[in-house]
Amino acid sequence: MSSKIIIAGGTGALGTLLSKAYSELGWEVVVLGRSESPMLRKARYIRWDGRSLGDWAGELDSATAILNLAGRPVDTRFTAKNKREILQSRVLTTTVIGEAIARCPTPPEVWINAGGISIFEPSSVLINENDVPDGMGFLAWVSRQWEASFADADTPTTRKVQLRMGSVLLSKGGMLAPLVKLAKLGLGGTVGPGNQYVSWIHEGDFVKLIDWLVARKSIMGVIHACSPNPVKNETFMRALRKRINAPIGLPTPTWMVRWGARLIGTEPQLALDGHRVTSKVLRDAGFQFDYPDVGHALDNLML
């Protein structure tokens, strides 16, 4: 009998990436989502609302792992309606997965729940899993509620991993795509002050980490899914310009970031705030990143 992984909220870029990787390993892959993706060719798709128990809950019984990636994208204006959806799409899905696991005759071996490094206050101070979350803004508040719903789930026989994720660098889409377009237009300079940190992870290392976490039965609790080498925005943009041979990179001053964010319907803090986050747990446990440096990572992603 093949191993089985459930990916909740798995129709996006990260879910598609993991679905492909696990399908190629011969796993049975089940994706829970609100709308089917044409990219999910080898996975089995099951519709859910992310709020209530349904037929999907039976898929968790005897599964090897469940990975919850569900959550409304935060790249939007923080209106009252959007704030409510951002919070509920994370907390309610986590709560109902916990309820489904509790009802399983044979619960999944491991539950990995996504979270964000925005639970910390923006800072240039190096942060790891031993540091107490100190964030004060909206996204930090959402992250605390999200993690609390995961911690409160009564699933004693299922190992739980709380994954605080940095920006996953993707070869297609994600944060890189718009930055590459700007850099090719000569606008790939520093964003805002340029000294805000970018905590990131290469897509290959993200997949490798998930597989490692599923297999390592001794690992539980909070894990920071970030490269060991976060960099300042100015360093990141310089590496990007070098990779695409952009001769110049005009900076985007803070006032322009704020104006542009309103123009395209997002929040300026998403570009102006930075977190310098790494993982002590992964370092101590001997996890090896294939792409620990941003230059090497960009070279691979943009072949």
Side-chain angles (χ1 to χ4, degrees):
M1 184 177 179
S2 64
S3 298
K4 178 180 180 181
I5 186 169
I6 316 296
I7 307 175
T11 56
L14 292 183
T16 301
L17 186 71
L18 288 163
S19 175
K20 181 176 183 294
Y22 274 99
S23 294
E24 290 174 352
L25 290 173
W27 284 50
E28 179 183 358
V29 179
V30 177
V31 169
L32 307 180
R34 290 181 173 84
S35 58
E36 190 167 2
S37 168
M39 300 299 291
L40 300 173
R41 294 173 185 151
K42 295 185 179 180
R44 188 155 51 87
Y45 170 79
I46 296 179
R47 185 176 179 82
W48 77 330
D49 63 6
R51 294 169 176 259
S52 53
L53 294 169
D55 292 341
W56 63 268
E59 296 290 340
L60 276 61
D61 189 43
S62 301
T64 305
I66 175 162
L67 172 61
N68 180 23
L69 299 173
R72 187 196 194 284
V74 300
D75 188 14
T76 185
R77 293 293 294 167
F78 289 166
T79 63
K81 176 177 180 291
N82 288 343
K83 282 183 174 181
R84 185 171 60 253
E85 291 179 357
I86 287 169
L87 176 66
Q88 292 182 348
S89 64
R90 287 161 172 78
V91 172
L92 296 182
T93 53
T94 300
T95 298
V96 78
I97 288 172
E99 293 172 356
I101 292 175
R103 296 186 180 205
C104 287
T106 307
E109 295 175 19
V110 59
W111 175 11
I112 301 173
N113 213 65
I117 59 174
S118 54
I119 198 167
F120 296 105
E121 191 70 6
S123 173
S124 61
V125 176
L126 192 63
I127 297 294
N128 63 47
E129 292 91 348
N130 290 337
D131 291 288
V132 178
D134 60 351
M136 300 296 291
F138 167 67
L139 291 180
W141 177 74
V142 169
S143 295
R144 284 195 293 273
Q145 300 299 313
W146 196 3
E147 291 196 7
S149 64
F150 183 57
D152 290 344
D154 187 16
T155 57
T157 63
T158 296
R159 178 167 56 94
K160 294 163 74 176
V161 177
Q162 174 64 65
L163 201 66
R164 292 179 183 154
M165 295 163 51
S167 299
V168 183
L169 302 185
L170 302 169
S171 57
K172 297 179 181 178
M175 67 172 284
L176 270 185
L179 292 179
V180 169
K181 288 181 181 178
L182 288 173
K184 288 181 176 179
L185 292 172
L187 301 174
T190 56
V191 177
N195 61 357
Q196 69 273 34
Y197 273 84
V198 180
S199 293
W200 59 277
I201 184 170
H202 183 285
E203 64 177 23
D205 281 329
F206 180 74
V207 172
K208 181 179 180 179
L209 175 58
I210 296 299
D211 193 46
W212 187 85
L213 291 170
V214 169
R216 291 291 289 261
K217 301 185 186 303
S218 61
I219 300 293
M220 61 186 68
V222 175
I223 299 291
H224 290 169
C226 302
S227 155
N229 297 301
V231 295
K232 292 181 179 180
N233 170 267
E234 61 184 355
T235 304
F236 187 93
M237 296 307 296
R238 188 186 309 121
L240 181 61
R241 292 196 305 272
K242 179 180 179 182
R243 179 61 189 84
I244 64 172
N245 296 316
I248 61 171
L250 298 177
T252 306
T254 299
W255 69 266
M256 189 176 292
V257 174
R258 296 189 186 281
W259 177 80
R262 293 185 180 278
L263 190 66
I264 64 175
T266 188
E267 291 290 331
Q269 70 189 78
L270 298 175
L272 297 175
D273 289 349
H275 300 83
R276 191 182 180 192
V277 177
T278 61
S279 176
K280 183 178 186 298
V281 175
L282 296 183
R283 184 180 70 241
D284 291 349
F287 180 80
Q288 295 293 315
F289 287 85
D290 292 329
Y291 304 96
D293 301 307
V294 71
H296 185 200
L298 293 175
D299 285 345
N300 174 264
L301 290 168
M302 301 170 65
L303 289 173

